[in-house]
């Protein structure tokens, strides 16, 4: 079915007991040795790094992005599988999808249980990811996990420890895997791919601030003073906060900070309904509403916009462009 390159980055799928807890330690060769390979698939390995995914940095993620592009420079490669920790998988997958312009698939997978456990899910997930990478095209970056196929955009970790860990709370299931077959149920929505960014010596700082009862502008202002070039404001409801925070957003935008607005609610889009500090006022102050993208992926969209060339206006245009999928801007309901 094809020649698939597996890029190993660590995570639970590469983790062993360390005396007080599990940590990524195994290399890609050891991870691959745990899984059966679908008939007709040949596997090559890139052992990129092995870290627990909460420890990933922007530099790690940009290295992964560039590695994928380098692998696809070989026309004989039919697809890529990335083994990755589940904690930040949704962020890395979305970063790659924003910059993915090749018809060949990149499929992320991992596990919820460490390698070597009797009930481990890593081998099955890796088999499914290989099968998906070998049998899909034109779908961008995907996530194969627990017998399901998800689009990178919108997919988040919805279960802390359960095996069926990923879903897009705002969309129907993309596809499923079983009995050696991959069945796609719909086409994913994707924005126009961005150019491959340069590797900055110091990546731009992008912080996240969540609103809550009694929430004020202290943390948002502190992020600006700490040098944040981008901020993701996680509002309540459909993307709401307070007049004080709206004023802080306006001041941050005036200083050239890119501010994105999302919500702490699981599903549904940011929507301009309320004033008095609600999304109506936050958007008027310069925040960019992020549709159904949640905090981690909204941050990646901001990061990608900041890595684009040009000034503040151009980067704001790029950020808004990440929401333009299939000719429709997914901002408001």
């Amino acid at each position: 079915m094809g020649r698939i390159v597996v890029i190993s980055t660590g995570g639970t799928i590469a983790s062993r007991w360390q005396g007080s807890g599990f940590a990524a330690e195994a290399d890609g060769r050891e991870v691959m040795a745990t899984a059966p390979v679908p008939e007709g698939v040949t596997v090559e390995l890139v052992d990129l790094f092995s870290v627990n995914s909460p420890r990933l940095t922007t530099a790690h993620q940009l290295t992964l992005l560039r590695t994928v592009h380098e692998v696809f420079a070989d026309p004989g490669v039919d697809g890529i599988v990335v083994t990755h920790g589940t904690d930040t998988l949704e962020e890395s997958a979305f970063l790659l999808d924003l910059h993915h312009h090749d018809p060949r698939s990149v499929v992320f997978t991992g596990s919820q249980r460490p390698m070597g456990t009797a009930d481990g899910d890593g081998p099955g997930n890796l088999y499914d990811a290989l099968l998906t990478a070998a049998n899909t095209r034109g779908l961008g970056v995907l996530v194969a996990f627990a017998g399901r196929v998800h689009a990178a955009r919108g997919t988040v970790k919805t279960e802390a420890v359960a095996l069926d860990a990923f879903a897009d709370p705002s969309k129907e299931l993309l596809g499923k895997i079983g009995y050696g077959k991959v069945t796609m149920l719909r086409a994913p929505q994707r924005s126009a791919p961005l150019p491959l960014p340069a590797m900055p010596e110091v990546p731009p700082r992008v912080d996240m601030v969540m609103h809550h009862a009694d929430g004020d502008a202290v943390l948002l202002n502190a992020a600006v003073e700490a040098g944040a070039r981008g901020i993701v404001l996680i509002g309540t409801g459909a993307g709401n906060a307070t007049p004080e925070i709206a004023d802080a957003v306006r001041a941050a935008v005036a200083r050239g900070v890119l501010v994105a607005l999302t919500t702490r609610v699981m599903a549904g889009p940011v929507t301009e309904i309320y004033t008095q500090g609600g999304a109506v006022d936050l958007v008027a102050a310069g925040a960019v509403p992020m549709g159904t993208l949640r905090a981690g992926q909204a941050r990646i969209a901001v990061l990608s916009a900041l890595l684009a060339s040009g000034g503040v206006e151009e980067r704001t245009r790029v950020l808004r462009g990440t929401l333009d999928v299939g000719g429709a801007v997914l901002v408001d309901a």
Side-chain angles (χ1 to χ4, degrees):
M1 285 186 292
R3 176 182 162 210
I4 306 301
V5 174
V6 174
I7 302 176
S8 177
T9 70
T12 300
I13 197 170
S15 290
R16 294 193 182 98
W17 182 251
Q18 303 293 311
S20 59
F22 291 93
E25 180 186 71
D27 60 23
R29 177 186 55 81
E30 294 174 278
V31 172
M32 274 306 310
T34 67
V37 176
E39 184 177 356
V41 170
T42 60
V43 174
E44 297 174 16
L45 180 66
V46 174
D47 214 358
L48 196 58
F49 40 76
S50 186
V51 297
N52 293 354
S53 67
R55 295 177 56 204
L56 280 184
T57 64
T58 298
H60 282 121
Q61 293 173 318
L62 291 176
T63 298
L64 174 59
L65 173 62
R66 298 189 77 83
T67 300
V68 165
H69 281 246
E70 290 165 2
V71 169
F72 274 150
D74 182 348
V77 172
D78 294 298
I80 291 175
V81 167
V82 178
T83 59
H84 196 289
T86 58
D87 284 5
T88 55
L89 184 152
E90 64 202 58
E91 298 173 36
S92 297
F94 187 52
L95 175 67
L96 266 60
D97 193 57
L98 285 176
H99 297 271
H100 188 63
H101 55 74
D102 197 286
R104 294 168 289 182
S105 294
V106 178
V107 183
F108 277 70
T109 196
S111 70
Q112 290 284 76
R113 292 176 181 162
M115 68 183 306
T117 54
D119 56 353
D121 56 327
N125 285 343
L126 185 47
Y127 177 93
D128 285 352
L130 291 167
L131 193 68
T132 303
N135 286 281
T136 58
R137 285 179 71 87
L139 301 177
V141 178
L142 305 171
V143 178
F145 216 93
R148 298 169 182 258
V149 183
H150 308 280
R153 175 183 292 270
T155 294
V156 296
K157 188 172 184 180
T158 56
E159 294 284 350
V161 294
L163 298 188
D164 191 3
F166 289 93
D168 181 344
S170 298
K171 293 283 189 304
E172 298 296 324
L173 180 65
L174 186 71
K176 54 187 179 181
I177 311 160
Y179 302 102
K181 295 182 180 180
V182 180
T183 303
M184 303 309 298
L185 305 176
R186 63 177 179 88
Q189 294 179 306
R190 300 182 62 225
S191 55
L194 298 172
L196 185 66
M199 286 286 287
E201 186 174 338
V202 179
R205 179 180 182 127
V206 183
D207 290 325
M208 297 192 291
V209 178
M210 180 180 287
H211 185 54
H212 51 83
D214 283 338
D216 56 28
V218 169
L219 294 180
L220 194 153
N221 290 334
V224 174
E225 294 305 319
R229 293 171 57 196
I231 294 174
V232 177
L233 175 59
I234 308 166
T236 57
N240 305 307
T242 66
E244 180 186 12
I245 291 178
D247 290 341
V249 167
R250 185 175 294 103
V253 171
R255 293 177 60 168
V257 178
L258 200 54
V259 179
L261 176 63
T262 185
T263 170
R264 68 187 200 185
V265 179
M266 179 69 73
V270 171
T271 308
E272 294 173 63
I273 302 173
Y274 299 104
T275 184
Q276 296 186 0
V280 170
D281 298 339
L282 295 169
V283 172
V288 178
M290 299 306 292
T292 58
L293 291 183
R294 291 321 187 242
Q297 293 193 341
R299 181 184 175 277
I300 290 297
V302 172
L303 174 66
S304 290
L306 289 171
L307 291 172
S309 59
V312 174
E313 289 186 5
E314 172 62 14
R315 288 168 176 169
T316 301
R317 185 195 67 77
V318 171
L319 178 59
R320 293 185 184 278
T322 66
L323 304 172
D324 188 357
V325 293
V329 179
L330 298 185
V331 176
D332 297 325

